[in-house]
Amino acid sequence: AEVAYAMKEAKRGHLFSAKHLFDPLIERLGGGENVVRAVLKELGKVVAEQPTRKLEDVPVVIEGTTVYARGFVDNGIIKLGTMYVK
């Protein structure tokens, strides 16, 4: 459910816009969906350790790259709003 939410066509265009600097990570992981899966996996660990409803600029490291994510948790499901690399 989390991946499907993040990969909706309108959401996907925003998540992977050029300004978010994901091209190298997309290439290393073999696609945008794999990036989303990796980010959600790491966010799941964060939420498990420190339950919260709001995710605001939460840093997670994917393949040596720090990705910042925003979103919220709805009934245990992470709803990814945006993510970016600085």
Side-chain angles (χ1 to χ4, degrees):
E2 295 170 333
V3 173
Y5 177 84
M7 294 303 292
K8 288 180 183 176
E9 189 171 336
K11 175 75 63 189
R12 187 174 57 239
H14 170 74
L15 290 178
F16 296 110
S17 68
K19 69 180 181 178
H20 290 171
L21 307 175
F22 278 108
D23 288 347
L25 200 53
I26 289 170
E27 188 174 317
R28 284 200 308 272
L29 293 181
E33 185 171 330
N34 292 336
V35 173
V36 167
R37 288 182 185 282
V39 169
L40 288 169
K41 180 179 177 184
E42 294 304 311
L43 285 175
K45 293 176 186 177
V46 171
V47 171
E49 290 177 11
Q50 187 175 9
T52 184
R53 178 152 164 67
K54 185 176 183 182
L55 302 169
E56 192 165 331
D57 298 319
V58 177
V60 295
V61 178
I62 309 297
E63 294 280 318
T65 299
T66 302
V67 176
Y68 297 87
R70 294 181 192 156
F72 63 98
V73 181
D74 183 26
N75 291 323
I77 296 175
I78 297 171
K79 303 284 187 159
L80 193 57
T82 194
M83 59 184 189
Y84 58 93
V85 176
K86 286 185 178 178

